Structure formats: structure tokens, C-alpha cells
Amino acid sequence: MNTDRRRIIASMGSLAVASWLPIGVKAQNAMRESDMLIIGGGMAGAATAFQLARHGRDVTLVERGDIASEASGQNMGGLGGAGWGNTPDLQSYLTMGSLEIFKELQIDMGYDMEFRLSGSLTGIHTDEQHDFLEDRLLSLRSGGYDGELLTPKEARAIEPEVNLELAGYFYTPGRGQADPVRSTRAFADAARKAGASINTGQNVIAIVVRGTGGYSVRTESAEYICQTLVLATGSWCGPVGQMLGLRIPIMPIRGQMWATERLPPRFFQRISSAESSYTWSRDNGGNDSTPPYLTHKGDRRLTRHLYGRQRRNGEIIFGGDREDVGYNTKPDPLGIDVNKRHAAEVVPLVADLPIARTWAGLMPFSLDGSPIIGKIPLRDNLYIVSGLASSGFGRGPMAGKLAADYIHTGHMPHVLAEADPARCVTEVQ
Ligand SMILES: Cc1cc2nc3c(=O)[nH]c(=O)nc-3n(C[C@H](O)[C@H](O)[C@H](O)COP(=O)(O)OP(=O)(O)OC[C@H]3O[C@@H](n4cnc5c(N)ncnc54)[C@H](O)[C@@H]3O)c2cc1C
């Protein structure tokens, strides 16, 4: 028998269940029952809870920290996309559908999430990057998507701080920004008002498939009984999946950011750089053990990635690196320095601004780079909303709606076919 664990047989009323619990786990002191249970209080979980509660379902959410205490509260706050296109695919649904939901919460429901449709400017550093983006623009336009190539002077006219010396700028009007913590908490609050029970400080330590159907989910202080279980545990889908004997191929990828002191308004768009998309268009770096679209392979930097904006409180924030360093969330000062110099190439004013703070968080990257949203067929009534990688803040609201519609109706929305968990979730061998 594994020395770290012991088998317990617990009798609960007429029900007898068997489970594995870590040694030292306190006796359960509360039992709560609901039809549906969501684990994870990031954007994916909060958005799913909101939509399920709106459908009138009996739903409970458990989160081990506070709402938005991980990636959903630590990100840059970028959202939106290039439009719905002529034939909307999953990416169009997730980006543009989420944008509509952000608008609904902020404008119709009155949540101040600091949301605005700011547009986004991508700095183009070289002629090769310019040629690449010219081709991309043609293909975007033929698919019915938005975008525009601007000269540096045209870009300056809408964003006074951008560098006139670059080769040009790619403008995406349909991109926006919002405050990560305020937004994620708004979704959780809207879920609560629609009838969901939101429980923070609930670290899930064991999950048991009940003999009579459904699940018993144990935290350090309570037991939650449900018929349907939804995993929205972001970068922790791997370890939480293991509690069910499942291998969920989602890896924690560290993203890190830095911020200046608060300044009067200096720029208004979201700012990025074409360097990474140009590099990844030639080789996205993914293989059997590494997700695509990372900035590093081991210690080696493959490319520089950049995203940033000025927050309503005046801080200018930038980030970009995506590194596989396990669950390490300590920012790497060397990477921050590279990122700051990269940002200064696009908006020179940041070169002389001191860094006031840095932070890092973990992005849930699936091994193949695509979202994992839908029913896990290896267990009864088990769903997942995750794998939203570097854009789960902006894509999470619609991911939650598609998942909730699936759970509520029992029918998979057709756009979720490419996110089907059946393609990659397996039994632990
Ligand atoms: C630096 C950085 C910048 C980013 N910039 C952007 C951006 O500009 N735009 C964008 O769209 N996305 C961005 N992202 C990505 C985005 O933040 C994530 O894709 C998104 O937040 C993932 O949401 P989630 O709900 O799946 O995961 P999370 O927010 O990580 O939520 C998962 C939750 O599950 C909880 N949990 C885990 N295990 C357990 C357990 N055992 N018991 C109970 N609870 C548990 C965790 O505590 C956590 O709160 C960025 C990420 C980072 C780190």
C-alpha cells in the first residue's frame, strides 16, 4: 500500500463509498449537495457557473483560494479578436462571443470591469515580418475577418507614443481590454445572483465516483456531493484529473509581467509585436511533450513575445514570455529585462520608466495547443472547460457558455468538435 495514502471506507447515511485520502486529512465537517459542481474559480469556472445558473440549474462552485487568485486575476487583460468571419469557427466563437458577454456584464448588468473596446496595434520590426503580415491580411480578409496595415505615421495618428522608426503596424479594431480581477469576480458575482453557490477557500483533495452515480468531492473542510462534475482548474487540470484516474494533457506555462508606477494616460490601444507570430508561423515549436507557441525551449529563447496596455489606474503593464518551468511562479528578471527592451522598441517612452513591480502566473496550455472543452467520455457526467492557454481571460466567458449549453441540453454545440476532450484525455496507465 502507498505509504502516503490510506484507504478509508466512509459510511454516509445509506451510502457507502470508498476513497483514497492523504494522511492527516481532517474529518469532513460539512456535507453539501447540488446537482452540478464546478471546481475552479477562475474565468472558466466563474463563466460556466454563471451560464448554468442562468439556465436555472442547481450549481455549486468550489475554489481553493479566492475568485481570480490564479491566472484569471494575473493576466494582462486583453480580449477580443479579428471578427466572426464568413464561417465562424471555434476561435471566432470564443473571442467574439466572449466580447459580447463582456459587453453584457459591463453595459447591461452594470459591472465595472474596466472593459473597453480599445483596438490593438502590433509593431512590425522588419521587412520579412511586414511581408508575412501582408499575406496574413489577405487571408484574413478573404475569410471575412478584420485587420489593417498602417504606416508608422498612420499608427502615430491613433497612438501618439508608438515608434516612427518601425516598418509598420497591424491594427485590429475588434480587440479590447478589461481588468482581470474585477471581471472574473463580476462573473462569479453574476453567477451567485443567478442562484449559484460560490465557495472559496475549498481546496479539493480527493474525488470519488459514487457507486450510486455522481461524485463525492472532498475538500479539507467539507464534502460536496453532485451528479455532474465540471473541471475548470486551469493549470491544475493534470493533478485534479489524477484524482479521477485520468491523464489530462494540460501543462502549466509561466507567463510573467511588469508594471510601471501610475502615470497620466499615455497610450490607449493594446500594444504587441509581430516578432513571435512571424517566428511561430515558420515553426510553432510544439511536439509530443511541448505545447506549441512557447517563447522558450528549455533554457533557450526561441522568440520574443509582447503584449501590454495602460491600466485605468495609470500603470503601464507589459509581458510576453511563455515558459515551461513547472509550477514555478517566481518572475525571471532576465526575461523581464528582454521584455522591457522589446516594449521600448514599440513604445520608446517605456525605456526610461522604472519597473515598480513584477509578477507571474500559470497559463493552462494543452499539449496540442487547442482548448479542451466538453464531456470526458471516460466517466459519467464529467465535463472540462480548460486548455485556454494564453487567452483564457478573453475566451473564457464564451468557453463557459458553450460548456454550460452542452451540459444543460446534453447536445454538443457543433463548434466544440475541435475542443473535444475525447481526443486527448486518457486513463492513467
Ligand atoms: C502573465 C499572464 C498574462 C496573460 N494575458 C492574457 C491576456 O491578455 N488575455 C487573455 O485572454 N489571457 C491571458 N492570459 C491567460 C489567462 O489568464 C488564462 O488562460 C485564464 O485565466 C485561464 O483561466 P482558468 O479559469 O482556466 O484558470 P485559472 O484562472 O488558473 O483558474 C483555475 C482555478 O482553479 C483553482 N484550483 C486548482 N486546483 C484546485 C483544487 N484542487 N481545488 C480547488 N480549486 C482549485 C485555482 O486555484 C484557480 O483559481 C495570461 C496569463 C498570464 C499568466
Side-chain angles (χ1 to χ4, degrees):
M1 189 169 90
N2 184 327
T3 51
D4 291 341
R5 300 165 93 97
R6 66 192 161 97
R7 191 171 180 84
I8 64 160
I9 307 290
S11 284
M12 286 155 200
S14 59
L15 173 75
V17 294
S19 75
W20 294 88
L21 285 182
I23 286 174
V25 168
K26 285 181 247 159
Q28 309 295 317
N29 59 14
M31 182 166 33
R32 301 166 199 192
E33 210 161 337
S34 62
D35 186 19
M36 301 183 175
L37 184 78
I38 298 168
I39 310 176
M43 184 53 98
T48 308
F50 172 48
Q51 301 292 349
L52 279 172
R54 266 185 153 180
H55 282 308
R57 305 305 296 254
D58 171 24
V59 57
T60 295
L61 180 149
V62 289
E63 159 59 44
R64 68 180 171 198
D66 284 330
I67 298 298
S69 51
E70 297 288 352
S72 297
Q74 297 159 339
N75 64 78
M76 191 278 279
L79 48 93
W84 284 96
N86 299 331
T87 315
D89 57 8
L90 180 61
Q91 177 67 356
S92 324
Y93 268 81
L94 292 179
T95 54
M96 301 311 287
S98 293
L99 200 57
E100 292 308 314
I101 302 171
F102 271 103
K103 285 183 200 163
E104 184 188 5
L105 264 82
Q106 167 119 351
I107 300 167
D108 302 336
M109 299 172 71
Y111 286 101
D112 178 5
M113 306 188 296
E114 301 187 9
F115 164 81
R116 64 193 174 90
L117 200 54
S118 56
S120 162
L121 279 174
T122 301
I124 304 169
H125 304 257
T126 63
D127 291 344
E128 290 78 17
Q129 290 172 18
H130 202 277
D131 291 347
F132 157 68
L133 283 172
E134 262 172 3
D135 287 348
R136 174 171 278 189
L137 184 58
L138 280 179
S139 103
L140 280 172
R141 289 218 171 125
S142 67
Y145 294 102
D146 302 327
E148 211 176 321
L149 270 170
L150 304 181
T151 64
K153 191 172 167 187
E154 288 167 336
R156 263 271 174 112
I158 57 173
E159 190 61 75
E161 296 292 349
V162 293
N163 188 355
L164 272 180
E165 306 302 319
L166 290 196
Y169 289 84
F170 193 88
Y171 178 51
T172 318
R175 292 192 196 272
Q177 47 187 283
D179 181 74
V181 173
R182 277 173 176 265
S183 303
T184 308
R185 292 192 176 157
F187 277 84
D189 188 63
R192 190 182 52 74
K193 287 189 175 137
S197 165
I198 307 289
N199 301 266
T200 54
Q202 295 294 310
N203 183 27
V204 171
I205 50 173
I207 305 175
V208 179
V209 179
R210 299 171 85 218
T212 52
Y215 297 88
S216 158
V217 173
R218 314 279 175 80
T219 70
E220 279 146 6
S221 58
E223 179 188 12
Y224 293 83
I225 305 284
C226 63
Q227 286 305 312
T228 297
L229 181 61
V230 184
L231 307 182
T233 42
S235 292
W236 294 267
C237 283
V240 172
Q242 278 192 0
M243 294 180 196
L244 285 153
L246 297 173
R247 182 186 160 275
I248 300 176
I250 288 180
M251 297 173 66
I253 299 297
R254 183 181 66 191
Q256 53 181 24
M257 303 203 62
W258 53 275
T260 65
E261 296 291 355
R262 299 172 183 208
L263 297 165
R266 297 301 293 269
F267 55 88
F268 309 96
Q269 318 278 314
R270 275 169 54 194
I271 303 292
S272 63
S273 155
E275 183 169 309
S276 50
S277 49
Y278 173 68
T279 308
W280 292 328
S281 71
R282 292 142 62 98
D283 177 2
N284 69 26
N287 59 33
D288 289 351
S289 56
T290 310
Y293 310 118
L294 304 189
T295 52
H296 292 69
K297 198 157 225 153
D299 289 342
R300 190 164 56 93
R301 178 178 288 282
L302 305 174
T303 187
R304 298 181 307 171
H305 184 55
L306 185 75
Y307 45 74
R309 68 186 179 100
Q310 186 167 21
R311 299 181 62 202
R312 189 165 78 186
N313 74 0
E315 284 180 318
I316 292 173
I317 59 171
F318 273 101
D321 281 354
R322 300 174 182 174
E323 275 185 272
D324 172 10
V325 287
Y327 286 97
N328 174 1
T329 52
K330 199 164 171 277
D332 164 29
L334 290 177
I336 297 280
D337 187 52
V338 169
N339 188 259
K340 185 160 186 273
R341 281 187 274 118
H342 194 188
E345 289 172 30
V346 186
V347 274
L349 86 99
V350 303
D352 296 327
L353 296 175
I355 292 177
R357 64 185 181 104
T358 63
W359 69 96
L362 299 172
M363 312 185 197
F365 270 71
S366 65
L367 257 188
D368 63 10
S370 291
I372 306 180
I373 306 169
K375 192 172 194 320
I376 298 179
L378 298 170
R379 300 286 180 278
D380 290 338
N381 300 324
L382 179 65
Y383 292 81
I384 179 169
V385 194
S386 195
L388 294 165
S390 60
S391 51
F393 174 66
R395 299 192 297 171
M398 190 62 179
K401 174 158 174 45
L402 290 169
D405 290 352
Y406 188 172
I407 296 164
H408 179 59
T409 63
H411 298 292
M412 182 178 78
H414 71 280
V415 287
L416 283 187
E418 63 181 278
D420 191 349
R423 77 181 191 279
C424 60
V425 178
T426 55
E427 299 283 354
V428 171
Q429 296 304 319

